[in-house]
Amino acid sequence: MIMIADTSSADTSDPIGVLILLAALGFAAVFIGGRLTFNVRGAVDATLARRRAVLELKAQQTGDLGLPETWSLSPFFFKFLGSVTMVAGLVLLALSLILVTD
């Protein structure tokens, strides 16, 4: 037999842990997205260099030496991805702020 507990205590609960998690994820997304968007300390250049090194290693392992030239991405792609991430982080921060004030 299933017993239903008193639901009045559930209505007054404060989900502070979830709000802290939303704020932390939002802050991290704004930080990482802003780093890529504005190319802070050459973040995009470092990402492209890391990607190129991985592709060259993969090309050596598979024997396809034309792989790094065919799988290249432009810096614009990473800046666009960073701006989308930054905006999503700002939305998470705003959502957590709205939920805190309610």
Side-chain angles (χ1 to χ4, degrees):
M1 177 181 262
I2 299 173
M3 296 187 67
I4 299 174
D6 184 21
T7 59
S8 64
S9 64
D11 294 339
T12 61
S13 68
D14 190 19
I16 194 70
V18 174
L19 298 176
I20 291 173
L21 179 68
L22 278 177
L25 289 175
F27 181 73
V30 168
F31 178 75
I32 293 170
R35 188 171 176 253
L36 284 175
T37 301
F38 301 114
N39 200 12
V40 177
R41 289 188 168 189
V44 173
D45 302 329
T47 303
L48 286 172
R50 225 176 302 128
R51 178 171 165 69
R52 179 126 178 117
V54 167
L55 284 175
E56 286 176 358
L57 182 63
K58 191 176 185 181
Q60 287 176 357
Q61 290 174 349
T62 60
D64 182 13
L65 298 180
L67 187 65
E69 285 77 29
T70 59
W71 284 86
S72 63
L73 292 172
S74 69
F76 174 76
F77 173 76
F78 289 102
K79 289 183 180 186
F80 174 73
L81 197 65
S83 65
V84 168
T85 304
M86 189 172 70
V87 169
L90 287 172
V91 168
L92 278 177
L93 281 175
L95 180 66
S96 66
L97 182 65
I98 289 170
L99 291 175
V100 163
T101 58
D102 284 341

